[in-house]
């Protein structure tokens, strides 16, 4: 089965709920990265999980 296709415009419209900063899409990890908040928001079954409690903390 192939990876779910993401609508690039939809992903570009999302911002970090913590900082309101833009996010970078990491296709390999299936995450949206917020450099400003040092968080990675997961994408599960094609759905971005935009909850700070669900985000992974990034190493500095």
């Amino acid at each position: 089965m192939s990876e779910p296709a993401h609508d690039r415009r939809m992903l570009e419209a999302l911002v970090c709920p913590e900082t309101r900063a833009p996010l970078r899409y990491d296709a390999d990890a299936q995450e949206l990265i917020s450099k400003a908040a040092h968080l990675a928001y997961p994408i599960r079954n094609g759905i971005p999980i935009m909850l700070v409690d669900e985000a992974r903390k990034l190493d500095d």
Side-chain angles (χ1 to χ4, degrees), residues 35-55:
K35 289 182 116 184
H38 303 285
L39 295 172
Y41 297 94
I43 299 173
R44 297 185 188 131
N45 299 319
I47 301 169
I49 310 300
M50 304 303 296
L51 301 171
V52 174
D53 292 344
E54 293 287 323

Side-chain angles (χ1 to χ4, degrees), residues 10-27:
M10 187 267 308
L11 292 177
E12 289 171 2
L14 294 174
V15 296
C16 175
E18 177 97 354
T19 65
R20 301 288 185 233
L23 299 168
R24 180 181 57 84
Y25 173 53
D26 182 338

